[in-house]
Amino acid sequence: MSDQQLEVVVRRARPADLDGLIACSSALFAEDAGTRDPSVDVSWPREYGPAHFAAGMDDPSMLLLVADYAGRVVAFLAGSVAEGSAKRPARTATLVSLYVDPAHRHGGLGVRLVNEFSAWAKEVGAELAEVTAYCSNADAIRFYERNGFARQTVTLRLLP
């Protein structure tokens, strides 16, 4: 682990982190969905993110983590947990979003965030943990597989 990564603190998001969360979420939307899914509104983080993330900080069914480097948010992870249904009764933790600033990639920061998510999932009694990734995002899929996730389903889409 690099000296820079050792100085990065992974912690729960606070209200003062809101601008950093929005910036990271905006970068994720632009880099990932913005290049892979024309049905996604890439302006969502700026328009709806402030209210969504602020509410998530107080919601026990949500996890919002930030990676703080010298007072700046350089990465984030958003997760949620939901009760099961009659069809699938397992309480499930979902890793909703993960973004690491390019200057902080390849030093283990993403792994640290996923490990925190996994610990939280156990803490809240999740029986399953899941994440989705675009099938064209081979780097993300490899990352999640290296971190214990296994392929389960494929979604096929038709744009009429």
Side-chain angles (χ1 to χ4, degrees):
M1 190 176 292
S2 72
D3 290 341
Q4 184 179 22
Q5 293 301 329
L6 292 173
E7 297 172 16
V8 175
V9 175
V10 173
R11 59 173 172 74
R12 292 270 184 146
R14 303 174 188 147
D17 299 319
L18 199 52
D19 288 343
L21 282 166
I22 302 308
C24 283
S25 183
S26 294
L28 174 62
F29 269 61
E31 179 181 318
D32 197 24
T35 63
R36 295 180 171 88
D37 189 347
S39 70
V40 171
D41 178 1
V42 295
S43 68
W44 182 92
R46 299 249 180 247
E47 291 182 36
Y48 302 101
H52 174 76
F53 290 126
M57 289 179 203
D58 295 326
D59 185 342
S61 70
M62 289 188 68
L63 175 67
L64 287 173
L65 297 174
V66 296
D68 181 320
Y69 177 67
R72 186 174 148 257
V73 174
V74 297
F76 89 106
L77 180 145
S80 64
V81 65
E83 296 301 327
S85 65
K87 183 178 178 183
R88 182 187 287 166
R91 184 172 171 88
T92 303
T94 302
L95 194 164
V96 177
S97 300
L98 172 63
Y99 177 79
V100 177
D101 182 277
H104 292 268
R105 292 180 186 170
H106 308 294
L109 186 51
V111 173
R112 289 172 61 192
L113 288 162
V114 170
N115 287 343
E116 289 290 326
F117 167 78
S118 296
W120 173 78
K122 288 178 188 172
E123 180 183 305
V124 298
E127 300 164 73
L128 296 172
E130 63 185 13
V131 63
T132 60
Y134 289 105
C135 60
S136 63
N137 191 343
D139 290 341
I141 292 168
R142 275 192 301 275
F143 170 80
Y144 290 124
E145 288 177 338
R146 281 193 315 266
N147 284 278
F149 290 88
R151 294 176 194 222
Q152 181 70 29
T153 63
V154 173
T155 301
L156 304 172
R157 183 177 288 166
L158 172 66
L159 300 175

